[in-house]
Amino acid sequence: MIRVDALWLSVAPLDMRAGMDTLLAQVVRVFGEARPHQAYLFANRRGTRMKVLIHDGQGIWLACRRLHQGRFRWVDGTGSLTLTQAQFDALVLGLPWQQLGGDGAIRMI
């Protein structure tokens, strides 16, 4: 099992043709470094595809996810955000993770 202690979301859209080396360079550019046991999330401009780069302490893993209906609820702008596990779980399902309360309920703001 891959241990992930922190989840980071890159706000800027990414060209999904990018491979592992390009994504690793993007992680270093946006986050400063790739730290062990941390995951870095990227999405395309349309918000239908996501790539997750994970440093497991010994190597790099790359996972991809595509929504066939709907879009990932991404944030506009530049920079990065930190996500909780509950926010990540909602994000990968296409749910409005920004509206997730402390009790795990999604609320309309």
Side-chain angles (χ1 to χ4, degrees):
M1 181 170 200
I2 302 171
R3 184 180 111 209
V4 175
D5 296 334
L7 297 153
W8 297 90
L9 180 134
S10 176
V11 175
L14 179 75
D15 182 348
M16 287 293 119
R17 295 175 293 180
M20 189 176 300
D21 293 331
T22 303
L23 273 175
L24 185 56
Q26 182 77 353
V27 165
V28 171
R29 189 177 66 72
V30 173
F31 302 100
E33 62 185 343
R35 294 178 170 232
H37 309 293
Q38 297 195 11
Y40 304 91
L41 288 72
F42 300 90
N44 64 342
R45 189 169 306 280
R46 291 184 301 170
T48 57
R49 296 176 185 224
M50 177 191 311
K51 285 193 175 183
V52 181
L53 190 83
I54 304 167
H55 183 342
D56 70 357
Q58 299 189 24
I60 303 294
W61 292 80
L62 179 60
C64 304
R65 176 140 169 90
R66 177 174 57 187
L67 291 180
H68 294 285
Q69 293 181 342
R71 296 173 186 259
F72 294 111
R73 310 289 178 126
W74 222 251
V75 179
D76 292 328
T78 60
S80 63
L81 299 170
T82 304
L83 297 179
T84 65
Q85 184 65 49
Q87 288 173 324
F88 172 75
D89 294 343
L91 172 65
V92 298
L93 294 174
L95 298 174
W97 60 271
Q98 298 97 329
Q99 299 171 359
L100 195 63
D103 59 356
I106 296 175
R107 294 179 171 57
M108 298 307 294
I109 297 175

